[in-house]
Amino acid sequence: MVEELITSGRLTPEVDPILHIWGWEIPLYLFLGGFAAGILFFSALFTLQNKENRYPMAVKILPFAVPVLLAIGLGALFLDLSHKFYFWQLYTNIRWESPMSWGAWTLLLVTPLSIVWAASWLEEAFPKFDLRYNWLKEILSDLKPYRKHMAWALIILAVILGMYTGILLSAFNARPFWNSAIMGPLFLTSGLSTAAASVTLLTRNHEERSDFTKIDLLLIAIELFFIIHMFMGFLASTQVHVQAAELFLGGRFTVPFWVWVVGIGLTIPAILEILELRKHHVPIFVSAVLVIAGSVMLRFIVVEAGQASRWLY
Amino acid sequence: MRYAMAIDTKRCVGCSDCVVACQTENKVPIGFCRDWIVETTTGTYPQLQMEIRSERCNHCTDAPCVRACPTKASHYGAGGIVTVDHEECIGCKACIASCPYDARYVHPEGYVDKCTFCIHRVEQGEHPACVAVCPTHAMTFGDMDDPMSDIFKLVSRRKWKTLIPEAGTRPNIYYLI
Protein backbone atom coordinates (compact mmCIF):
# COMPACT_ATOMS: atom_id res chain seq x y z
CA MET A 1 0.00 0.00 0.00
CA VAL A 2 1.33 3.40 -0.88
CA GLU A 3 1.05 5.74 2.05
CA GLU A 4 1.34 9.46 2.15
CA LEU A 5 2.36 11.46 5.15
CA ILE A 6 2.16 15.21 5.07
CA THR A 7 3.77 17.34 7.73
CA SER A 8 3.20 21.05 7.53
CA GLY A 9 4.93 23.76 9.49
CA ARG A 10 1.83 25.94 9.29
CA LEU A 11 -0.53 26.42 12.22
CA THR A 12 -2.63 29.43 11.25
CA PRO A 13 -5.46 30.18 13.70
CA GLU A 14 -8.91 29.39 12.23
CA VAL A 15 -7.28 27.63 9.25
CA ASP A 16 -5.26 24.74 10.70
CA PRO A 17 -5.69 21.89 11.33
CA ILE A 18 -9.31 22.22 10.13
CA LEU A 19 -10.69 25.38 8.59
CA HIS A 20 -13.00 27.16 11.03
CA ILE A 21 -13.48 30.70 9.84
CA TRP A 22 -17.27 30.63 10.14
CA GLY A 23 -18.92 29.82 13.46
CA TRP A 24 -22.58 30.20 14.38
CA GLU A 25 -23.14 33.55 12.66
CA ILE A 26 -23.12 32.38 9.05
CA PRO A 27 -25.40 29.30 9.43
CA LEU A 28 -27.82 31.34 11.55
CA TYR A 29 -27.92 34.01 8.87
CA LEU A 30 -28.34 31.40 6.10
CA PHE A 31 -31.30 29.97 8.02
CA LEU A 32 -32.95 33.34 8.69
CA GLY A 33 -32.35 34.54 5.13
CA GLY A 34 -33.90 31.37 3.70
CA PHE A 35 -36.80 31.56 6.15
CA ALA A 36 -37.48 35.21 5.25
CA ALA A 37 -37.25 34.38 1.53
CA GLY A 38 -39.79 31.56 2.01
CA ILE A 39 -42.29 33.80 3.82
CA LEU A 40 -41.98 36.53 1.19
CA PHE A 41 -42.32 34.02 -1.64
CA PHE A 42 -45.62 32.58 -0.37
CA SER A 43 -47.00 35.97 0.60
CA ALA A 44 -46.24 37.44 -2.82
CA LEU A 45 -47.34 34.33 -4.74
CA PHE A 46 -50.76 34.09 -3.09
CA THR A 47 -51.29 37.83 -3.39
CA LEU A 48 -50.83 37.49 -7.15
CA GLN A 49 -53.30 34.61 -7.11
CA ASN A 50 -55.81 36.73 -5.09
CA LYS A 51 -55.82 34.20 -2.27
CA GLU A 52 -55.09 36.64 0.56
CA ASN A 53 -58.35 35.84 2.32
CA ARG A 54 -57.91 32.10 1.93
CA TYR A 55 -54.38 32.27 3.39
CA PRO A 56 -54.46 35.18 5.86
CA MET A 57 -51.48 34.00 7.95
CA ALA A 58 -49.18 33.38 4.99
CA VAL A 59 -50.10 36.49 3.02
CA LYS A 60 -50.91 39.15 5.60
CA ILE A 61 -49.47 38.33 9.00
CA LEU A 62 -46.21 36.37 8.61
CA PRO A 63 -44.56 39.07 6.44
CA PHE A 64 -44.37 41.14 9.63
CA ALA A 65 -41.76 38.67 10.87
CA VAL A 66 -39.53 39.19 7.83
CA PRO A 67 -37.91 42.53 8.73
CA VAL A 68 -37.19 41.14 12.20
CA LEU A 69 -35.67 37.92 10.80
CA LEU A 70 -33.59 39.88 8.31
CA ALA A 71 -32.44 42.34 10.98
CA ILE A 72 -31.26 39.50 13.23
CA GLY A 73 -29.61 37.81 10.22
CA LEU A 74 -27.85 41.00 9.17
CA GLY A 75 -26.74 41.51 12.76
CA ALA A 76 -25.21 38.02 12.73
CA LEU A 77 -23.46 38.76 9.42
CA PHE A 78 -22.07 41.97 10.84
CA LEU A 79 -20.78 40.14 13.91
CA ASP A 80 -18.99 37.67 11.64
CA LEU A 81 -17.00 40.37 9.84
CA SER A 82 -13.48 40.68 11.20
CA HIS A 83 -12.91 44.17 9.74
CA LYS A 84 -16.32 45.47 10.74
CA PHE A 85 -16.13 49.18 10.18
CA TYR A 86 -15.27 48.77 6.53
CA PHE A 87 -18.56 46.92 5.87
CA TRP A 88 -19.82 49.82 3.75
CA GLN A 89 -17.31 48.75 1.09
CA LEU A 90 -19.94 46.15 0.14
CA TYR A 91 -22.04 48.99 -1.21
CA THR A 92 -19.38 50.85 -3.11
CA ASN A 93 -18.64 47.80 -5.26
CA ILE A 94 -20.65 45.52 -7.51
CA ARG A 95 -18.94 42.20 -8.10
CA TRP A 96 -20.94 39.94 -10.40
CA GLU A 97 -18.72 36.93 -9.78
CA SER A 98 -18.99 37.11 -5.99
CA PRO A 99 -22.09 35.54 -4.38
CA MET A 100 -21.32 37.58 -1.26
CA SER A 101 -21.76 40.76 -3.31
CA TRP A 102 -25.01 39.46 -4.83
CA GLY A 103 -26.28 38.73 -1.33
CA ALA A 104 -25.36 42.16 0.00
CA TRP A 105 -27.16 43.94 -2.84
CA THR A 106 -30.18 41.61 -2.70
CA LEU A 107 -30.52 42.29 1.03
CA LEU A 108 -30.30 46.02 0.38
CA LEU A 109 -33.34 45.69 -1.91
CA VAL A 110 -35.28 43.03 0.01
CA THR A 111 -35.07 44.53 3.50
CA PRO A 112 -36.76 47.90 2.81
CA LEU A 113 -39.22 46.29 0.39
CA SER A 114 -40.20 43.72 3.03
CA ILE A 115 -40.94 46.57 5.48
CA VAL A 116 -43.10 48.38 2.90
CA TRP A 117 -44.78 45.09 2.01
CA ALA A 118 -45.67 44.26 5.61
CA ALA A 119 -46.83 47.84 6.20
CA SER A 120 -49.21 47.61 3.26
CA TRP A 121 -50.98 44.74 5.07
CA LEU A 122 -51.12 46.43 8.47
CA GLU A 123 -54.79 47.39 8.34
CA GLU A 124 -55.98 43.95 7.23
CA ALA A 125 -53.59 41.96 9.40
CA PHE A 126 -54.17 43.86 12.63
CA PRO A 127 -57.53 45.68 12.30
CA LYS A 128 -57.57 46.67 15.97
CA PHE A 129 -54.18 48.38 15.78
CA ASP A 130 -54.61 52.15 15.81
CA LEU A 131 -51.98 54.02 13.84
CA ARG A 132 -52.85 57.39 15.44
CA TYR A 133 -51.39 59.51 12.67
CA ASN A 134 -53.63 60.13 9.69
CA TRP A 135 -50.78 60.95 7.34
CA LEU A 136 -49.30 57.50 8.07
CA LYS A 137 -52.66 55.87 7.33
CA GLU A 138 -52.80 57.74 4.03
CA ILE A 139 -49.35 56.54 3.02
CA LEU A 140 -50.30 52.95 3.84
CA SER A 141 -53.50 53.10 1.83
CA ASP A 142 -51.57 54.67 -1.07
CA LEU A 143 -49.37 51.56 -1.08
CA LYS A 144 -52.21 49.12 -1.67
CA PRO A 145 -52.66 49.71 -5.43
CA TYR A 146 -48.97 48.81 -5.91
CA ARG A 147 -49.21 45.45 -4.18
CA LYS A 148 -49.14 43.38 -7.36
CA HIS A 149 -46.05 45.20 -8.61
CA MET A 150 -44.37 44.70 -5.27
CA ALA A 151 -45.41 41.04 -5.29
CA TRP A 152 -43.69 40.43 -8.63
CA ALA A 153 -40.52 42.09 -7.42
CA LEU A 154 -40.67 40.13 -4.15
CA ILE A 155 -41.10 36.76 -5.85
CA ILE A 156 -37.98 37.32 -7.92
CA LEU A 157 -35.99 38.74 -5.01
CA ALA A 158 -37.16 35.97 -2.66
CA VAL A 159 -35.97 33.29 -5.08
CA ILE A 160 -32.62 35.06 -5.48
CA LEU A 161 -32.30 35.43 -1.70
CA GLY A 162 -33.25 31.81 -1.01
CA MET A 163 -30.99 30.41 -3.73
CA TYR A 164 -28.06 32.64 -2.87
CA THR A 165 -27.85 31.30 0.67
CA GLY A 166 -26.86 27.98 -0.93
CA ILE A 167 -24.91 29.37 -3.87
CA LEU A 168 -22.76 31.34 -1.43
CA LEU A 169 -21.40 27.97 -0.33
CA SER A 170 -21.55 26.06 -3.62
CA ALA A 171 -19.34 28.66 -5.34
CA PHE A 172 -16.36 27.55 -3.22
CA ASN A 173 -14.52 25.05 -5.36
CA ALA A 174 -11.90 24.80 -2.59
CA ARG A 175 -14.36 23.11 -0.19
CA PRO A 176 -15.55 19.96 -1.97
CA PHE A 177 -18.60 19.38 0.23
CA TRP A 178 -20.01 22.82 -0.58
CA ASN A 179 -19.09 22.54 -4.22
CA SER A 180 -22.37 21.06 -5.45
CA ALA A 181 -24.83 22.91 -7.68
CA ILE A 182 -27.65 21.27 -5.69
CA MET A 183 -26.83 23.44 -2.65
CA GLY A 184 -28.73 26.47 -4.04
CA PRO A 185 -32.01 24.68 -4.84
CA LEU A 186 -31.71 22.62 -1.61
CA PHE A 187 -31.43 25.73 0.57
CA LEU A 188 -34.22 27.45 -1.35
CA THR A 189 -36.52 24.44 -0.86
CA SER A 190 -35.56 24.20 2.78
CA GLY A 191 -36.35 27.92 3.29
CA LEU A 192 -39.72 27.51 1.59
CA SER A 193 -40.44 24.45 3.72
CA THR A 194 -39.57 26.37 6.91
CA ALA A 195 -41.97 29.13 5.90
CA ALA A 196 -44.75 26.65 5.03
CA ALA A 197 -44.26 24.85 8.35
CA SER A 198 -44.44 28.11 10.28
CA VAL A 199 -47.76 28.90 8.54
CA THR A 200 -49.20 25.56 9.68
CA LEU A 201 -47.89 26.28 13.18
CA LEU A 202 -49.41 29.74 13.54
CA THR A 203 -52.59 29.80 11.47
CA ARG A 204 -56.01 29.24 13.00
CA ASN A 205 -57.65 28.81 9.63
CA HIS A 206 -58.29 25.12 8.99
CA GLU A 207 -58.16 25.39 5.20
CA GLU A 208 -54.89 27.30 5.26
CA ARG A 209 -53.34 24.78 7.63
CA SER A 210 -54.35 21.83 5.51
CA ASP A 211 -53.17 23.44 2.23
CA PHE A 212 -49.83 24.47 3.70
CA THR A 213 -49.36 21.01 5.17
CA LYS A 214 -49.70 19.64 1.64
CA ILE A 215 -47.27 22.27 0.31
CA ASP A 216 -44.78 21.42 3.05
CA LEU A 217 -45.08 17.72 2.35
CA LEU A 218 -44.24 18.32 -1.29
CA LEU A 219 -41.28 20.52 -0.33
CA ILE A 220 -39.95 17.89 2.09
CA ALA A 221 -40.15 15.29 -0.70
CA ILE A 222 -38.21 17.62 -3.02
CA GLU A 223 -35.59 18.20 -0.30
CA LEU A 224 -35.09 14.46 0.21
CA PHE A 225 -34.77 14.07 -3.55
CA PHE A 226 -32.12 16.83 -3.66
CA ILE A 227 -30.19 15.31 -0.76
CA ILE A 228 -30.06 11.90 -2.45
CA HIS A 229 -28.95 13.51 -5.71
CA MET A 230 -26.33 15.58 -3.96
CA PHE A 231 -24.70 12.44 -2.56
CA MET A 232 -25.03 10.63 -5.88
CA GLY A 233 -23.24 13.56 -7.48
CA PHE A 234 -20.44 13.51 -4.92
CA LEU A 235 -19.94 9.76 -5.15
CA ALA A 236 -19.71 9.95 -8.94
CA SER A 237 -17.19 12.79 -8.82
CA THR A 238 -13.48 13.16 -7.99
CA GLN A 239 -11.66 11.65 -5.03
CA VAL A 240 -11.97 14.80 -2.92
CA HIS A 241 -15.74 14.87 -3.48
CA VAL A 242 -16.00 11.19 -2.58
CA GLN A 243 -14.04 11.96 0.60
CA ALA A 244 -16.39 14.87 1.33
CA ALA A 245 -19.40 12.56 0.98
CA GLU A 246 -17.69 10.03 3.23
CA LEU A 247 -17.86 12.58 6.07
CA PHE A 248 -21.58 11.77 5.95
CA LEU A 249 -21.34 8.10 5.07
CA GLY A 250 -19.52 6.76 8.10
CA GLY A 251 -17.59 9.91 8.97
CA ARG A 252 -18.18 12.33 11.81
CA PHE A 253 -21.29 13.97 10.34
CA THR A 254 -23.13 10.68 9.74
CA VAL A 255 -25.25 10.69 12.89
CA PRO A 256 -25.94 14.44 13.11
CA PHE A 257 -26.98 14.60 9.47
CA TRP A 258 -28.97 11.40 8.93
CA VAL A 259 -30.58 11.34 12.38
CA TRP A 260 -31.16 15.03 13.07
CA VAL A 261 -31.68 16.51 9.62
CA VAL A 262 -33.01 13.66 7.48
CA GLY A 263 -34.71 11.68 10.25
CA ILE A 264 -36.05 14.12 12.80
CA GLY A 265 -36.08 17.20 10.55
CA LEU A 266 -37.59 15.73 7.37
CA THR A 267 -38.86 12.15 7.55
CA ILE A 268 -40.70 12.21 10.89
CA PRO A 269 -42.48 15.53 10.19
CA ALA A 270 -43.43 14.18 6.74
CA ILE A 271 -45.00 11.08 8.36
CA LEU A 272 -46.79 13.26 10.94
CA GLU A 273 -48.10 15.52 8.17
CA ILE A 274 -49.40 12.54 6.21
CA LEU A 275 -51.16 11.26 9.36
CA GLU A 276 -52.64 14.68 9.95
CA LEU A 277 -53.95 14.96 6.40
CA ARG A 278 -55.57 11.56 6.92
CA LYS A 279 -57.43 13.05 9.91
CA HIS A 280 -55.46 11.30 12.62
CA HIS A 281 -55.04 13.29 15.79
CA VAL A 282 -51.48 14.56 15.73
CA PRO A 283 -50.37 17.65 17.66
CA ILE A 284 -49.84 20.09 14.81
CA PHE A 285 -46.94 21.97 16.36
CA VAL A 286 -44.72 18.88 16.52
CA SER A 287 -44.18 18.51 12.77
CA ALA A 288 -43.78 22.26 12.26
CA VAL A 289 -41.24 22.64 15.06
CA LEU A 290 -39.29 19.61 13.77
CA VAL A 291 -39.17 21.04 10.23
CA ILE A 292 -37.88 24.37 11.53
CA ALA A 293 -35.32 22.69 13.81
CA GLY A 294 -34.20 20.43 10.93
CA SER A 295 -33.74 23.46 8.73
CA VAL A 296 -31.49 25.11 11.34
CA MET A 297 -29.51 21.90 11.75
CA LEU A 298 -29.07 21.56 7.98
CA ARG A 299 -27.37 24.97 7.80
CA PHE A 300 -25.13 24.36 10.80
CA ILE A 301 -24.04 20.91 9.61
CA VAL A 302 -23.45 21.99 6.00
CA VAL A 303 -21.40 25.04 7.03
CA GLU A 304 -19.34 22.93 9.45
CA ALA A 305 -18.85 19.99 7.07
CA GLY A 306 -17.86 22.20 4.15
CA GLN A 307 -15.06 23.67 6.22
CA ALA A 308 -13.92 20.18 7.20
CA SER A 309 -13.69 19.04 3.57
CA ARG A 310 -10.70 20.02 1.50
CA TRP A 311 -8.31 19.19 -1.29
CA LEU A 312 -5.22 17.32 -0.27
CA TYR A 313 -1.94 17.49 -2.08
CA MET B 1 4.38 40.53 -17.35
CA ARG B 2 3.58 37.58 -15.13
CA TYR B 3 5.49 37.23 -11.89
CA ALA B 4 6.12 33.66 -10.86
CA MET B 5 8.34 31.63 -8.59
CA ALA B 6 10.12 28.36 -9.20
CA ILE B 7 11.00 26.33 -6.11
CA ASP B 8 13.44 23.48 -6.47
CA THR B 9 12.30 20.57 -4.30
CA LYS B 10 15.66 18.87 -4.95
CA ARG B 11 17.52 21.76 -3.34
CA CYS B 12 15.16 22.69 -0.53
CA VAL B 13 16.28 21.27 2.81
CA GLY B 14 13.32 22.61 4.81
CA CYS B 15 15.39 24.95 6.97
CA SER B 16 12.50 27.45 7.31
CA ASP B 17 14.77 30.42 6.63
CA CYS B 18 12.23 31.63 4.06
CA VAL B 19 9.51 31.53 6.72
CA VAL B 20 11.52 33.54 9.21
CA ALA B 21 12.69 36.03 6.57
CA CYS B 22 9.10 36.60 5.47
CA GLN B 23 7.86 37.08 9.02
CA THR B 24 10.61 39.60 9.70
CA GLU B 25 10.34 41.47 6.41
CA ASN B 26 6.56 41.71 6.44
CA LYS B 27 6.08 42.03 10.22
CA VAL B 28 3.82 38.98 10.18
CA PRO B 29 2.22 38.68 13.64
CA ILE B 30 3.42 35.86 15.89
CA GLY B 31 1.51 32.62 15.29
CA PHE B 32 0.77 33.44 11.65
CA CYS B 33 2.74 32.84 8.46
CA ARG B 34 2.61 33.86 4.82
CA ASP B 35 4.86 30.97 3.79
CA TRP B 36 5.46 27.62 5.40
CA ILE B 37 7.26 24.32 4.92
CA VAL B 38 5.53 21.10 3.92
CA GLU B 39 7.25 17.74 4.05
CA THR B 40 5.62 14.77 2.38
CA THR B 41 6.63 11.15 2.57
CA THR B 42 5.11 8.72 0.08
CA GLY B 43 5.62 5.10 -0.83
CA THR B 44 5.91 1.78 0.96
CA TYR B 45 8.62 1.18 3.51
CA PRO B 46 11.53 0.86 2.78
CA GLN B 47 10.97 2.49 -0.62
CA LEU B 48 10.06 5.93 0.63
CA GLN B 49 10.25 9.21 -1.20
CA MET B 50 10.48 12.51 0.52
CA GLU B 51 9.69 15.92 -0.81
CA ILE B 52 10.16 19.25 0.94
CA ARG B 53 8.34 22.30 -0.31
CA SER B 54 8.28 25.91 0.71
CA GLU B 55 4.66 26.91 0.14
CA ARG B 56 2.85 30.23 -0.07
CA CYS B 57 0.07 31.93 -2.02
CA ASN B 58 0.22 30.67 -5.60
CA HIS B 59 -0.74 34.05 -7.07
CA CYS B 60 -3.10 32.16 -9.34
CA THR B 61 -3.83 33.48 -12.79
CA ASP B 62 -7.44 32.39 -12.27
CA ALA B 63 -7.68 33.19 -8.57
CA PRO B 64 -10.82 31.99 -6.76
CA CYS B 65 -10.18 34.52 -3.96
CA VAL B 66 -10.44 37.42 -6.40
CA ARG B 67 -13.73 35.99 -7.68
CA ALA B 68 -15.12 35.44 -4.19
CA CYS B 69 -14.25 38.91 -2.85
CA PRO B 70 -17.35 41.13 -2.67
CA THR B 71 -15.43 44.41 -2.49
CA LYS B 72 -12.48 44.16 -4.92
CA ALA B 73 -10.15 44.14 -1.89
CA SER B 74 -8.58 40.97 -3.33
CA HIS B 75 -7.43 41.92 -6.80
CA TYR B 76 -4.74 41.38 -9.42
CA GLY B 77 -1.91 43.84 -9.05
CA ALA B 78 1.20 44.55 -11.13
CA GLY B 79 2.51 41.45 -12.89
CA GLY B 80 -0.58 39.41 -12.00
CA ILE B 81 0.23 39.37 -8.28
CA VAL B 82 -2.84 38.71 -6.14
CA THR B 83 -2.96 41.32 -3.39
CA VAL B 84 -5.39 42.43 -0.67
CA ASP B 85 -6.21 46.09 -0.17
CA HIS B 86 -6.53 46.36 3.62
CA GLU B 87 -8.72 49.44 3.42
CA GLU B 88 -11.27 47.64 1.25
CA CYS B 89 -11.31 44.31 3.10
CA ILE B 90 -14.38 43.85 5.31
CA GLY B 91 -13.18 40.55 6.81
CA CYS B 92 -15.98 38.40 5.41
CA LYS B 93 -13.45 35.56 4.93
CA ALA B 94 -14.98 34.38 1.64
CA CYS B 95 -11.47 34.49 0.13
CA ILE B 96 -10.13 32.21 2.87
CA ALA B 97 -12.91 29.72 2.17
CA SER B 98 -12.23 29.95 -1.57
CA CYS B 99 -8.48 29.23 -1.42
CA PRO B 100 -7.66 25.55 -1.97
CA TYR B 101 -4.13 26.18 -0.66
CA ASP B 102 -5.30 27.81 2.60
CA ALA B 103 -2.74 30.53 2.01
CA ARG B 104 -4.66 33.32 3.74
CA TYR B 105 -5.32 34.32 7.33
CA VAL B 106 -7.19 36.97 9.27
CA HIS B 107 -4.64 39.49 10.54
CA PRO B 108 -5.19 40.41 14.22
CA GLU B 109 -6.11 43.89 12.97
CA GLY B 110 -9.11 42.39 11.14
CA TYR B 111 -8.23 42.40 7.47
CA VAL B 112 -7.20 39.32 5.50
CA ASP B 113 -3.53 39.01 4.75
CA LYS B 114 -1.20 36.78 2.74
CA CYS B 115 1.98 36.63 0.63
CA THR B 116 2.53 39.65 -1.63
CA PHE B 117 5.60 38.27 -3.43
CA CYS B 118 7.24 41.12 -1.46
CA ILE B 119 6.11 43.50 -4.17
CA HIS B 120 7.56 46.42 -2.18
CA ARG B 121 11.00 44.86 -2.59
CA VAL B 122 10.43 43.74 -6.19
CA GLU B 123 9.52 47.31 -7.16
CA GLN B 124 12.94 48.38 -5.80
CA GLY B 125 14.63 45.78 -8.01
CA GLU B 126 15.23 43.33 -5.14
CA HIS B 127 14.14 39.73 -4.74
CA PRO B 128 11.31 38.72 -2.40
CA ALA B 129 12.68 38.17 1.13
CA CYS B 130 12.26 34.38 1.00
CA VAL B 131 14.18 34.15 -2.29
CA ALA B 132 16.90 36.48 -1.07
CA VAL B 133 17.71 34.46 2.06
CA CYS B 134 17.39 30.90 0.77
CA PRO B 135 20.75 29.31 1.68
CA THR B 136 20.50 26.59 -0.99
CA HIS B 137 19.29 28.93 -3.77
CA ALA B 138 16.21 26.75 -4.14
CA MET B 139 13.97 29.65 -5.19
CA THR B 140 13.91 31.69 -8.36
CA PHE B 141 11.64 34.66 -8.86
CA GLY B 142 10.95 36.48 -12.10
CA ASP B 143 8.76 37.19 -15.09
CA MET B 144 7.40 34.10 -16.82
CA ASP B 145 6.40 36.17 -19.85
CA ASP B 146 10.03 37.06 -20.51
CA PRO B 147 11.78 34.21 -22.39
CA MET B 148 15.16 35.62 -21.32
CA SER B 149 14.38 35.50 -17.60
CA ASP B 150 16.07 32.98 -15.32
CA ILE B 151 12.76 31.57 -14.19
CA PHE B 152 11.52 31.03 -17.74
CA LYS B 153 14.72 29.19 -18.67
CA LEU B 154 14.62 27.10 -15.50
CA VAL B 155 10.98 26.08 -15.92
CA SER B 156 11.59 25.31 -19.62
CA ARG B 157 14.53 23.09 -18.81
CA ARG B 158 13.35 21.24 -15.71
CA LYS B 159 10.45 18.94 -14.88
CA TRP B 160 7.94 20.74 -12.76
CA LYS B 161 4.52 20.56 -11.19
CA THR B 162 2.04 23.00 -9.72
CA LEU B 163 -0.15 22.33 -6.69
CA ILE B 164 -3.74 21.13 -7.29
CA PRO B 165 -3.86 22.18 -10.96
CA GLU B 166 -7.19 20.31 -11.10
CA ALA B 167 -8.72 23.06 -8.95
CA GLY B 168 -8.51 25.20 -12.09
CA THR B 169 -6.62 28.04 -10.46
CA ARG B 170 -3.60 28.19 -12.83
CA PRO B 171 -1.03 28.64 -10.05
CA ASN B 172 2.17 30.63 -10.60
CA ILE B 173 4.43 28.76 -8.20
CA TYR B 174 6.33 26.03 -10.05
CA TYR B 175 7.80 23.18 -8.04
CA LEU B 176 10.80 21.71 -9.80
CA ILE B 177 10.87 17.96 -9.28
Side-chain angles (χ1 to χ4, degrees):
Chain A
M1 194 177 82
V2 174
E3 285 190 48
E4 194 165 46
L5 182 73
I6 299 174
T7 324
S8 171
R10 189 184 68 193
L11 206 61
T12 309
E14 296 184 341
V15 176
D16 298 305
I18 290 173
L19 188 75
H20 205 274
I21 45 168
W22 287 336
W24 58 271
E25 298 92 341
I26 296 292
L28 177 70
Y29 161 70
L30 296 181
F31 165 72
L32 294 172
F35 192 4
I39 295 173
L40 290 175
F41 180 84
F42 286 124
S43 176
L45 178 72
F46 292 123
T47 302
L48 289 174
Q49 294 187 353
N50 299 316
K51 286 185 180 165
E52 57 266 38
N53 293 322
R54 187 181 164 107
Y55 303 134
M57 176 56 71
V59 176
K60 301 177 191 172
I61 301 174
L62 262 187
F64 283 87
V66 171
V68 181
L69 297 176
L70 288 178
I72 299 170
L74 285 169
L77 273 190
F78 182 72
L79 283 179
D80 176 69
L81 298 180
S82 60
H83 216 204
K84 290 186 173 56
F85 297 103
Y86 292 81
F87 79 95
W88 50 270
Q89 290 280 3
L90 282 170
Y91 297 111
T92 52
N93 291 286
I94 296 180
R95 294 272 300 105
W96 295 110
E97 284 182 310
S98 161
M100 198 77 92
S101 182
W102 269 86
W105 285 101
T106 307
L107 283 167
L108 191 71
L109 297 174
V110 166
T111 312
L113 190 56
S114 74
I115 295 170
V116 175
W117 177 252
S120 84
W121 290 107
L122 186 65
E123 228 180 325
E124 284 117 305
F126 305 102
K128 287 180 191 160
F129 185 79
D130 182 18
L131 259 179
R132 283 197 204 168
Y133 304 105
N134 280 327
W135 58 271
L136 210 53
K137 285 182 192 165
E138 276 170 33
I139 292 178
L140 294 191
S141 60
D142 286 348
L143 289 173
K144 285 177 194 167
Y146 298 105
R147 261 188 203 147
K148 297 258 153 130
H149 298 99
M150 283 196 270
W152 274 113
L154 277 175
I155 282 201
I156 296 164
L157 287 170
V159 171
I160 295 175
L161 180 62
M163 284 282 268
Y164 131 82
T165 59
I167 290 177
L168 174 73
L169 302 179
S170 72
F172 293 127
N173 154 302
R175 312 295 152 195
F177 183 70
W178 286 342
N179 191 212
S180 160
I182 301 243
M183 221 48 106
L186 175 65
F187 275 32
L188 174 66
T189 316
S190 168
L192 291 172
S193 168
T194 315
S198 59
V199 174
T200 66
L201 181 66
L202 298 169
T203 184
R204 289 181 189 164
N205 179 318
H206 182 73
E207 207 176 21
E208 185 176 24
R209 178 175 299 157
S210 143
D211 285 1
F212 271 85
T213 305
K214 285 179 199 155
I215 292 174
D216 194 32
L217 203 49
L218 176 68
L219 290 167
I220 289 175
I222 296 172
E223 261 185 86
L224 289 169
F225 173 82
F226 281 150
I227 287 171
I228 292 165
H229 274 249
M230 186 171 78
F231 281 99
M232 283 171 66
F234 283 138
L235 292 174
S237 190
T238 65
Q239 183 62 32
V240 288
H241 292 93
V242 174
Q243 280 170 359
E246 282 170 354
L247 289 171
F248 290 77
L249 305 169
R252 69 181 174 106
F253 294 100
T254 312
V255 173
F257 184 74
W258 297 102
V259 174
W260 290 97
V261 178
V262 176
I264 296 172
L266 294 169
T267 314
I268 292 177
I271 294 168
L272 292 176
E273 285 176 353
I274 292 169
L275 290 176
E276 196 204 322
L277 289 171
R278 293 193 174 170
K279 311 284 182 221
H280 290 275
H281 280 288
V282 188
I284 181 67
F285 71 92
V286 176
S287 62
V289 168
L290 291 183
V291 165
I292 295 168
S295 180
V296 176
M297 285 294 287
L298 173 72
R299 266 66 171 193
F300 273 83
I301 290 174
V302 168
V303 169
E304 191 76 16
Q307 297 184 85
S309 74
R310 56 168 301 175
W311 293 78
L312 272 182
Y313 55 92
Chain B
M1 192 163 62
R2 179 161 67 90
Y3 284 131
M5 203 180 271
I7 300 172
D8 193 339
T9 60
K10 302 282 185 210
R11 280 176 176 260
C12 179
V13 292
C15 70
S16 293
D17 223 6
C18 49
V19 180
V20 176
C22 171
Q23 287 170 329
T24 313
E25 173 71 28
N26 297 298
K27 300 185 180 62
V28 177
I30 291 169
F32 296 83
C33 57
R34 291 186 182 186
D35 59 351
W36 59 95
I37 299 293
V38 172
E39 299 180 7
T40 63
T41 310
T42 46
T44 313
Y45 182 82
Q47 268 86 43
L48 294 173
Q49 281 194 325
M50 193 179 192
E51 183 176 285
I52 305 175
R53 298 190 297 261
S54 168
E55 293 190 3
R56 61 195 40 55
C57 168
N58 281 273
H59 294 276
C60 307
T61 301
D62 212 343
C65 51
V66 173
R67 258 180 283 141
C69 178
T71 67
K72 296 183 190 146
S74 283
H75 62 280
Y76 299 108
I81 290 180
V82 177
T83 50
V84 185
D85 184 337
H86 301 165
E87 298 291 303
E88 278 193 79
C89 176
I90 61 171
C92 72
K93 294 163 281 198
C95 55
I96 300 182
S98 77
C99 177
Y101 310 102
D102 287 338
R104 293 167 164 254
Y105 61 88
V106 180
H107 192 281
E109 285 175 18
Y111 53 82
V112 171
D113 201 22
K114 65 169 201 64
C115 164
T116 60
F117 265 169
C118 282
I119 188 68
H120 59 287
R121 289 173 58 95
V122 173
E123 280 168 348
Q124 304 296 321
E126 294 179 80
H127 284 310
C130 54
V131 177
V133 298
C134 182
T136 61
H137 299 288
M139 291 181 224
T140 310
F141 175 82
D143 177 9
M144 271 302 279
D145 281 348
D146 174 9
M148 300 308 288
S149 67
D150 290 346
I151 185 169
F152 184 91
K153 289 179 195 162
L154 195 57
V155 170
S156 311
R157 200 176 70 237
R158 292 275 301 270
K159 266 191 177 177
W160 53 266
K161 67 174 182 185
T162 54
L163 299 179
I164 335 180
E166 61 273 30
T169 54
R170 296 166 69 201
N172 282 310
I173 306 271
Y174 296 83
Y175 288 95
L176 307 176
I177 48 178

